[in-house]
Amino acid sequence: MIIRVKVNGRLYESDVEPRTLLAYYLREELKLTGTHIGCDTTSCGACTVLLDGKAVKSCTVLAVQANGREVLTVESLDQDGQLHPLQSAFWEEHALQCGYCTPGMLMASYALLQENPMPTEAEIREGLSGNICRCTGYVNIVKAVQSAARTMADKTREALGEVAASGTATD
Amino acid sequence: MALQQTELRPMGKSIGRKEDPRLIRGKGRYIDDIMLPNMLYMCVLRSPYAHARIRRIDASAALAAPGVKLVITGEDLAGMNLAWMPTMAGDTQMVLATGKVLFQYQEVAAVVAETRAQAEDALQLIEVDYEPLPVVVDPFKALEPDAPILREDKEKKSNHIFHWEAGDREQTEALFRDAPVIVKQDVRFPRVHPSPLEPCGCVADYNSATGRLTFYVTSQAPHAHRTVLAMVSGLPEHQIHVISPDVGGGFGNKVPVYPGYVCAIVASLKLGVPVKWIETRTENITSTNFARDYHMTAEIAAREDGRVLALRVKTVADHGAFDAAADPSKFPAGLFSIVTGSYDFRSAFVEVDGVYTNKAPGGVAYRCSFRVTEASYLIERVMDVLARRLQMDPAELRLRNFIRKDQFPYHSPTGWVYDSGDYEKTLNLALQRIGYAELRKEQAEKRARGEFMGIGISTFTEIVGAGPGHTFDIMGIKMFDSAQIRVHPTGKVIARLGVRHQGQGHETTFAQIIAEELGLSADDVLIEEGDTDTAPYGLGTYASRSTPTAGGAAALCGRRIREKARKIAAHLLEVGEDDVIWDGLAFTVKGLPGRSVSMKDVAFAAYTNVPEGMEPGLEATYYYDPPNLTFPNGAYIAVVDIDKGTGAVKVRRFMAVDDCGNVINPMIVEGQVHGGLTEGFAIAFMQDIPYDADGNCLAPNWMDYLVPTSLDTPHWETDRTVTPSPHHPIGAKGVGESPNVGSPAAFVNAVVDALSPLGVEHIDMPIFPWKVWSILREHGIDE
Ligand code: FES
Ligand code: FES
């Protein structure tokens, strides 16, 4: 079956078997191997990607269900070599060890911060409860999401400030 | 925190990890990311029965299925003398079942096809005619004289595998005869599974033109795996190239050689193209090595004042269908003899019997040194039983019995020499940090109100760093480790080590050690591991051995380079070698602090301007065989509240004070502690792999075998004391497994403490809410 999917801003047209899971389509067809697979029961969240802006476990979505839709994977996060604030925060707060859960954690955190830009610790723990990490014990992951939320809020404020400032200049 | 690691003297600093930039971009290269041209895919057919004779296997329909290239059965392997393989414990294990199956999910056949889906489809078409046999899942029943014999291939017609003992039986018996106080407790450490997030897998790529096998594998010990594969396959060792790419967690699960690896290699040899095999999670839990499954009985003989005298331990160890325990050759029950823990027992006697049952084979040292977790849990549990009998505070009992800091090096009653420690200081810090006295007050108030609050202490001594070649070997290969450092003309370094990390941060910590020794920045040092063609031979990463062994090798290798560098420096400074001193950053001339050359200057000269007669270049290799193991220790305190309505246990606080000697990167050490505590928490409250009477595995996936999420996991508090190892080149001891070893007892002690007003003395793990709820209910306490 032919599907057309926009992945990380690029349009792909592929012929897939209807039973192909999105996770395998991304990894094996598109060679986007950042999305990982850790279980066969939708338990671990290593495969989390954004489908039309919503975090989904791509091992539980068929590739054909992504037809005509937009997918974002971990490979979309850094722009022009610049790390996304979430990526920097994971690095700075030591929120990863083996790194296998990390792409899924980053995408789940990304979706969380889109919905709730300033989550509390409890909200972060709740928001990431579909993602298993076997290495870090979560404390540092929570810290990283909090720190990224602050950075992103500062950036937004700065951007708003700049708009306001440039507005005054042209006046 | 600085992510740029440009600073010099990087030891002891929390610098950001060098491995992270690729991992946070999704640019790691894990086993399933390896995709080679013409690669085929392999899936494994597994037994639905725990014990059954195989009458016939018909693979013809599978062979005719779309995309299928090959089906392998045990008979095919038998023709190649590969149906059985040696295990690390000196037993043999079936690669693919021949004659009969011995556990549910045992490997029966392998299918190789063009795609994963085709291979899976074809598995359904293989017809196996099984004749079910009586199943034995209880290790005690397996030892009864009329039990069915599981291993018919063995000469010994019983399910008993080995008897092992340590310590002094007579002296221990004598002390027990005269002791005023004796306590006894049966304790089970459940069967658990390490379950790293990335399952096991491999890509075997045999090139018939060169005769070389390139074998990509999730390996914690690539060199040892290469040697074992050479022995199993008959391929010459230098023609086997093992590459362990990024590894998504190991925790001991990726130490053994699994049947899937052998099948993938056979398939690639036969077909001449690369063959990939990646486990599903279910395959990982049901067939790769589990851990623990120890049924233990401990007795302590003590004086009325709480002073312990002797310890006696009997254990039955369920090893499943094949004894595939990943223990060093000389220790059939691993380092279980560390069971005297942090306490100064006059005598101890420990015995373990290993047993075959119809369960998955194993087990591994899951985030511990070969059965130290079982030992540590046992002694910490029984010390609490003793405290309760004597109506003594458990902290006080421990303080009274600790090995004192002036007793080091301490000779344990089972034969180990503990290197250093100050246990009193560690426990006192933990007590103070958590506010022990106030907590006990609060507990008394709550008890008076009928509430259940508990405080659990665990003080442990670890035994890590296997480890002196004179005592430790794996299949005869002595356990040392290695480092090789090359300093290039511009002062940039590539260093390779014989260990293989799975998330422990070696690329950063070993760079810190080497940079410190060479007066460079950690940025200047690239660490490579996991490639047997380039790295020097080493025994791999498990049992917290990397820092004690490869860390020592890295430091000493750096010092070896400095010896040569000093000669070059003297030449550059135009002084005698004896007049050159190393100040930690550069070579200077004695008495003339202004005159110096840096390692960078020396590096350039090593390739451009060496003293006459000297061999150019600046590199060294060091194989480090440590003189002794290292002995980290710690004191953990858990505070729990129990919900009377549901039996749920809430871990309100957890304080972990670790002493792992000198610390290379505090941030990484803290991260290791967090991770280990979370796994210890899971073992205490969530995990067990039970089997029903027919040998069906009842927790074959992450729906039934629980791994903690961010919602389950408590918040961790950590602190540390430092007693450097006196014999390690940088005074480090290793930490990775301590929190997993030390924490289960703290949790269980806390729950038992909470329920002690009801007369509860012990609860076996995992402490599911229903267990606690049943106890409350028995006492009429249910809301
Ligand atoms: S692989 Fe998708 S949830 Fe585990
Ligand atoms: S970092 Fe290893 S699973 Fe999360």
Side-chain angles (χ1 to χ4, degrees):
Chain A
M1 181 178 167
I2 307 282
I3 57 168
R4 288 161 60 86
V5 196
K6 200 173 190 187
V7 181
N8 300 339
R10 199 171 138 193
L11 195 67
Y12 294 88
E13 193 176 284
S14 322
D15 189 2
V16 298
E17 257 194 274
R19 64 172 167 181
T20 307
L21 296 169
L22 180 58
Y24 289 97
Y25 172 68
L26 294 169
R27 290 179 48 79
E28 290 175 3
E29 265 307 295
L30 308 189
K31 306 283 184 275
L32 293 168
T33 54
T35 300
H36 297 151
I37 293 166
C39 70
D40 30 57
T41 47
T42 318
S43 307
C44 76
C47 61
T48 306
V49 301
L50 267 56
L51 183 60
D52 285 346
K54 282 238 174 301
V56 298
K57 293 184 174 177
S58 63
C59 70
T60 313
V61 174
L62 294 166
V64 293
Q65 290 175 286
N67 188 21
R69 301 168 77 180
E70 190 167 349
V71 177
L72 288 181
T73 72
V74 67
E75 285 92 347
S76 71
L77 282 184
D78 56 318
Q79 300 282 335
D80 309 321
Q82 283 289 313
L83 293 180
H84 185 276
L86 265 167
Q87 291 173 308
S88 309
F90 267 62
W91 192 5
E92 281 162 21
E93 300 294 344
H94 188 33
L96 60 146
Q97 289 182 21
C98 78
Y100 200 75
C101 71
T102 309
M105 283 287 178
L106 286 167
M107 297 317 284
S109 307
Y110 182 91
L112 173 69
L113 292 185
Q114 303 266 307
E115 279 173 32
N116 179 356
M118 230 5 118
T120 61
E121 162 159 6
E123 287 167 342
I124 296 171
R125 284 187 180 265
E126 171 90 48
L128 297 182
S129 61
N131 290 67
I132 285 165
C133 175
R134 290 291 288 151
C135 303
T136 66
Y138 303 106
V139 174
N140 290 348
I141 293 178
V142 173
K143 273 200 226 162
V145 176
Q146 285 171 322
S147 143
R150 280 192 299 271
T151 315
M152 286 161 74
D154 288 349
K155 279 202 174 159
T156 317
R157 248 195 309 279
E158 248 169 57
L160 288 175
E162 268 163 34
V163 171
S166 63
T168 356
T170 42
D171 261 342
Chain B
M1 181 218 318
L3 293 179
Q4 289 305 312
Q5 298 135 31
T6 43
E7 50 189 326
L8 299 169
R9 309 299 308 257
M11 270 289 281
K13 294 184 184 144
S14 288
I15 60 180
R17 294 204 324 169
K18 288 150 82 73
E19 37 276 87
D20 290 358
R22 68 172 186 276
L23 303 178
I24 52 179
R25 287 181 166 96
K27 293 280 191 282
R29 188 171 180 244
Y30 299 92
I31 194 74
D32 198 17
D33 300 344
I34 289 163
M35 299 181 198
L36 303 175
N38 304 318
M39 189 177 81
L40 301 176
Y41 200 91
M42 187 183 91
C43 285
V44 175
L45 181 73
R46 293 173 182 279
S47 167
Y49 292 99
H51 196 195
R53 208 159 300 287
I54 297 178
R55 289 211 201 92
R56 195 179 54 94
I57 300 181
D58 182 356
S60 50
L63 209 46
V68 173
K69 301 288 177 202
L70 182 70
V71 178
I72 312 173
T73 64
E75 255 172 56
D76 302 329
L77 293 181
M80 304 166 74
N81 216 7
L82 283 177
W84 291 71
M85 63 180 186
T87 72
M88 293 199 176
D91 195 358
T92 49
Q93 175 176 356
M94 285 187 225
V95 175
L96 291 175
T98 51
K100 66 177 191 171
V101 289
L102 283 160
F103 67 96
Q104 192 189 36
Y105 292 100
Q106 186 180 338
E107 299 80 0
V108 173
V111 173
V112 182
E114 278 164 21
T115 70
R116 193 186 302 248
Q118 287 171 335
E120 264 168 28
D121 285 349
L123 290 184
Q124 320 297 322
L125 302 174
I126 300 178
E127 279 174 39
V128 187
D129 186 1
Y130 293 104
E131 174 194 335
L133 297 169
V135 170
V136 188
V137 288
D138 179 333
F140 292 95
K141 289 204 178 125
L143 287 175
E144 285 169 7
D146 57 345
I149 305 301
L150 306 186
R151 292 291 299 274
E152 292 160 308
D153 57 301
K154 292 273 170 193
E155 232 164 74
K156 182 169 159 185
K157 293 300 168 224
S158 100
N159 297 318
H160 182 258
I161 311 172
F162 64 81
H163 175 83
W164 171 91
E165 52 188 53
D168 188 329
R169 187 197 290 261
E170 267 151 46
Q171 202 192 351
T172 305
E173 299 297 330
L175 284 164
F176 266 90
R177 267 196 300 277
D178 304 331
V181 182
I182 293 174
V183 290
K184 178 174 180 176
Q185 184 64 54
D186 288 333
V187 171
R188 174 165 188 246
F189 206 123
R191 175 175 272 243
V192 296
H193 195 275
S195 281
L197 197 60
E198 179 203 38
C200 299
C202 68
V203 181
D205 182 12
Y206 180 70
N207 181 328
S208 53
T210 61
R212 272 212 117 193
L213 170 72
T214 307
F215 189 58
Y216 304 85
V217 60
T218 46
S219 173
Q220 295 181 231
H223 289 278
H225 280 169
R226 184 184 61 182
T227 304
V228 173
L229 290 176
M231 291 179 344
V232 174
S233 70
L235 286 172
E237 190 167 0
H238 66 291
Q239 291 289 68
I240 303 176
H241 181 190
V242 174
I243 300 174
S244 177
D246 281 323
V247 181
F251 315 121
N253 191 225
K254 292 168 181 170
V255 175
V257 170
Y258 294 121
Y261 301 163
V262 179
C263 292
I265 291 173
V266 168
S268 183
L269 282 169
K270 284 201 161 193
L271 298 168
V273 291
V275 175
K276 179 190 272 190
W277 170 64
I278 306 289
E279 280 177 346
T280 62
R281 174 58 49 193
T282 298
E283 291 182 286
N284 181 253
I285 295 180
T286 56
S287 71
T288 67
N289 280 23
F290 71 93
R292 328 289 187 232
D293 215 346
Y294 262 34
H295 300 255
M296 313 177 276
T297 302
E299 292 166 280
I300 293 180
R303 295 195 320 221
E304 309 271 7
D305 64 357
R307 196 72 182 79
V308 297
L309 302 168
L311 176 70
R312 192 158 59 188
V313 178
K314 259 185 187 304
T315 289
V316 168
D318 186 341
H319 283 246
F322 307 100
D323 186 13
D327 286 332
S329 311
K330 295 191 188 76
F331 304 99
L335 304 184
F336 190 63
S337 58
I338 185 74
V339 68
T340 51
S342 312
Y343 313 111
D344 191 12
F345 280 92
R346 270 195 234 154
S347 183
F349 182 68
V350 191
E351 47 190 333
V352 182
D353 287 284
V355 183
Y356 290 125
T357 59
N358 289 120
K359 294 181 192 158
V364 282
Y366 167 23
R367 211 165 179 157
C368 88
S369 283
F370 322 116
R371 311 283 179 181
V372 173
T373 307
E374 292 91 326
S376 187
Y377 173 67
L378 181 66
I379 186 66
E380 287 310 294
R381 204 56 283 292
V382 186
M383 283 301 274
D384 261 32
V385 172
L386 176 63
R388 192 119 15 236
R389 166 73 58 85
L390 297 170
Q391 296 191 332
M392 195 182 272
D393 184 281
E396 176 55 33
L397 179 71
R398 285 172 170 80
L399 289 165
R400 217 168 266 194
N401 284 296
F402 276 153
I403 297 158
R404 293 184 322 273
K405 70 173 186 233
D406 56 13
Q407 285 176 280
F408 292 98
Y410 171 81
H411 292 259
S412 87
T414 52
W416 302 105
V417 182
Y418 294 17
D419 58 355
S420 65
D422 186 344
Y423 303 158
E424 216 173 304
K425 185 170 162 193
T426 309
L427 177 56
N428 280 327
L429 179 60
L431 293 171
Q432 176 223 320
R433 283 286 318 269
I434 203 143
Y436 188 67
E438 296 89 80
L439 283 169
R440 283 288 179 207
K441 236 182 269 159
E442 184 192 339
Q443 184 186 38
E445 289 161 17
K446 286 201 162 162
R447 267 190 191 159
R449 291 200 298 270
E451 289 171 41
F452 294 91
M453 165 186 167
I455 307 166
I457 301 177
S458 161
T459 51
F460 62 91
T461 296
E462 265 261 66
I463 181 165
V464 309
H470 53 72
T471 316
F472 288 83
D473 69 83
I474 282 207
M475 299 181 83
I477 310 163
K478 288 192 190 307
M479 297 182 78
F480 51 81
D481 231 290
S482 61
Q484 182 181 66
I485 302 177
R486 286 189 181 162
V487 187
H488 300 278
T490 57
K492 304 293 175 188
V493 177
I494 296 182
R496 300 185 167 112
L497 295 106
V499 286
R500 202 321 158 231
H501 64 90
Q502 320 108 43
Q504 294 92 336
H506 289 184
E507 290 171 40
T508 311
T509 49
F510 289 136
Q512 285 176 261
I513 295 174
I514 291 167
E516 179 81 19
E517 296 293 339
L518 298 184
L520 299 169
S521 132
D523 273 350
D524 295 331
V525 184
L526 177 76
I527 300 292
E528 282 185 6
E529 297 177 349
D531 184 322
T532 55
D533 269 12
T534 56
Y537 201 101
L539 274 292
T541 294
Y542 42 85
S544 275
R545 66 185 301 280
S546 291
T547 298
T549 59
L556 294 172
C557 191
R559 287 170 206 175
R560 192 167 270 176
I561 292 216
R562 240 169 41 211
E563 283 163 33
K564 180 170 184 184
R566 175 204 294 278
K567 295 192 171 75
I568 300 173
H571 167 68
L572 295 177
L573 292 161
E574 296 176 321
V575 293
E577 212 190 301
D578 291 344
D579 290 325
V580 176
I581 51 172
W582 173 251
D583 69 2
L585 285 174
F587 294 100
T588 65
V589 179
K590 237 184 241 168
L592 288 172
R595 283 195 64 203
S596 72
V597 290
S598 68
M599 188 60 78
K600 282 196 176 152
D601 302 327
V602 170
F604 199 70
Y607 297 87
T608 57
N609 175 22
V610 284
E612 219 177 278
M614 183 188 271
E615 182 187 353
L618 194 57
E619 61 180 76
T621 306
Y622 202 107
Y623 287 84
Y624 176 62
D625 184 359
N628 188 8
L629 293 139
T630 58
F631 294 77
N633 69 87
Y636 293 169
I637 305 178
V639 184
V640 304
D641 294 302
I642 290 176
D643 184 292
K644 283 193 278 184
T646 61
V649 178
K650 182 171 164 44
V651 178
R652 193 202 316 170
R653 288 195 54 201
F654 195 97
M655 184 74 226
V657 178
D658 275 284
D659 186 340
C660 59
N662 288 336
V663 164
I664 302 157
N665 184 320
M667 176 192 82
I668 289 179
V669 165
E670 191 188 50
Q672 288 286 305
V673 173
H674 286 179
L677 292 176
T678 304
E679 294 188 25
F681 165 80
I683 288 166
F685 292 110
M686 308 167 87
Q687 300 181 332
D688 186 10
I689 301 191
Y691 288 80
D692 70 10
D694 295 326
N696 294 306
C697 177
L698 300 181
N701 55 49
W702 278 347
M703 313 279 272
D704 301 306
Y705 181 71
L706 304 178
V707 284
T709 68
S710 48
L711 269 185
D712 308 308
T713 306
H715 183 88
W716 309 118
E717 300 167 62
T718 60
D719 207 336
R720 119 165 79 86
T721 53
V722 177
T723 43
S725 169
H727 62 77
H728 188 266
I730 57 170
K733 290 185 172 179
V735 76
E737 60 196 44
S738 293
N740 189 48
V741 167
S743 64
F747 294 117
V748 178
N749 285 348
V751 177
V752 172
D753 183 49
L755 297 174
S756 62
L758 305 179
V760 172
E761 291 225 315
H762 176 70
I763 307 177
D764 270 330
M765 299 186 287
I767 303 181
F768 291 127
W770 62 262
K771 277 195 193 172
V772 177
W773 181 80
S774 313
I775 294 170
L776 293 170
R777 209 180 135 95
E778 261 169 44
H779 290 83
I781 305 160
D782 45 343
E783 289 186 343

